[in-house]
Amino acid sequence: MADEVILLGFWPSPFGMRTRVALAEKGVVYEYKEEDLQDKSPLLLKSNPIHKEIPVLNHNGKPICESLIIVQYIDEVWNDKSPLLPKYSYERAHARFWADFADKKISDYGSRILWKKGEEQEEGKKGFLDCLKLLEGELGEKPYFGGESLGLVDVAFLPFSCWFYSFETCGNFSVEKECPKIIAWVERCKEKESVSKSLQDPQKIYEYVAVLKKRFGVE
Amino acid sequence: MADEVILLDFWPSPFGLRARIAMAEKGVEYDYRDENLREKGPLLLKSNPVHKKIPVLIHNGKPVCESLIIVQYIDEVWNDKPLFSKDPYETAKARFWADFVDKKIYDCGTRIWKNKGEAQDQAKKEFIDCLKLLEGELAEKSYFGGDTLGYVDVALIPFACWFYSYETEGKFSIEEDCPKIMAWVKRCMEKESVSKTLAEPQKVYEFVGVLKKMYGIE
């Protein structure tokens, strides 16, 4: 019996993009449903009654919520190719740590760059770049955080790269200048179809940010 | 060769308690080291340079950080009495609810003792709402893990020794609002891995008093 896999997402969401990269890496066929976050569908509200957020993966009618939990689920179920987590427990804990780091820090600092001005924005920029430098250290000389292939940390962090242009433009700085290894890693990842077909166009993200700024009356 | 297992921790920390309970469940012998969080030791700073926080599990010299990641690591390495189901969907559900506890319980609980008036009332309401959602997830099971302690039990039970502090500061009764959670706490406390590990609620309350003084809260 064929699997029924539905992904409820919202196109600019880096959290939704994580799930799409993971599904693409595994070659999973799925139906994508774009949510209107201002008019959430009954399926979303039924599938994620606690947080009412995307992404939600519906696998044969069973909902899985929270992007990093979904990615680990995908890795466990479709375990015949492209493992996203290492085999050994210590390396797995290490990968989970850095995915959690990307989760906790990048979004928060990025938001401050986009929505704040003055000192708060500067703090956001500094925090964001400090995080990227730590991630550069973790990447080291490896082509990907996962080693020779994409891993959990690559999948967790990559989607934020399509927001870099928005952060740079709003914050008036260059990620390439400060963290060239990160940009090199992004370009390397984009050579993979699973990534290039899943990430959004940075220019479209920036236009979306402009729409949000207008809606919230932010300069 | 015997394992060397060190836990860098702070006695009232619910996050550290998660690691302690997981290791007690698995019968892991370890060297417990209480950290002075106002003067963090060189081993902590070296083992967790990114966050500089406890708990940190150091297993044969290799550090593992972040309490839920530590618990998953403990479960994988000492893999008898598993904390997770073999079924990926049940595992995803357990991770979801542990993440829910992580995001909500500590935050609401802290806001109860740090605030007064409307801010405190709001925190109390959210706290009880979260516990009611957890009661729904527990349903008729003995533990969140089913017949034995599971990942969600380990994630949540440490907060039980903070309940007395939340109740006293917030002037409410968790038993009254969420009796199923209290019944679950009592059931967990029948297990030695929990009863011998949890901090004493009265001592935690005294510690909260010290914290309040430190923060200049009435």
Side-chain angles (χ1 to χ4, degrees), chain B residues 25 32 89 108 208-210 213:
Chain B
E25 269 291 287
Y32 175 85
Y89 179 67
C108 293
V208 170
V210 167
K213 217 168 171 175

Side-chain angles (χ1 to χ4, degrees), chain B residues 68-174:
Chain B
L68 290 182
I69 294 174
I70 294 171
V71 171
Q72 290 181 79
Y73 176 82
I74 290 166
D75 192 53
E76 285 174 21
V77 172
W78 292 278
N79 53 19
D80 56 339
K81 289 177 95 178
L83 296 172
F84 283 104
S85 160
K86 281 189 162 53
D87 176 58
Y89 179 67
E90 294 303 318
T91 296
K93 262 176 58 178
R95 287 194 173 120
F96 174 86
W97 284 103
D99 176 71
F100 175 81
V101 171
D102 232 21
K103 285 186 167 109
K104 303 279 188 180
I105 300 295
Y106 181 72
D107 173 66
C108 293
T110 303
R111 279 159 50 213
I112 292 173
W113 67 260
K114 271 192 172 173
N115 291 293
K116 290 263 173 282
E118 213 177 292
Q120 191 187 56
D121 285 337
Q122 179 63 31
K124 272 158 61 178
K125 182 188 180 302
E126 283 177 37
F127 181 78
I128 295 293
D129 285 348
C130 288
L131 288 185
K132 286 194 165 115
L133 283 169
L134 285 158
E135 279 188 326
E137 171 55 21
L138 180 65
E140 300 311 312
K141 302 194 295 290
S142 305
Y143 309 98
F144 289 92
D147 293 324
T148 54
L149 291 189
Y151 184 59
V152 182
D153 300 279
V154 174
L156 180 60
I157 195 63
F159 291 98
C161 49
W162 282 74
F163 282 179
Y164 174 68
S165 300
Y166 300 153
E167 289 172 309
T168 312
E169 289 295 317
K171 292 190 180 46
F172 69 111
S173 157
I174 295 172

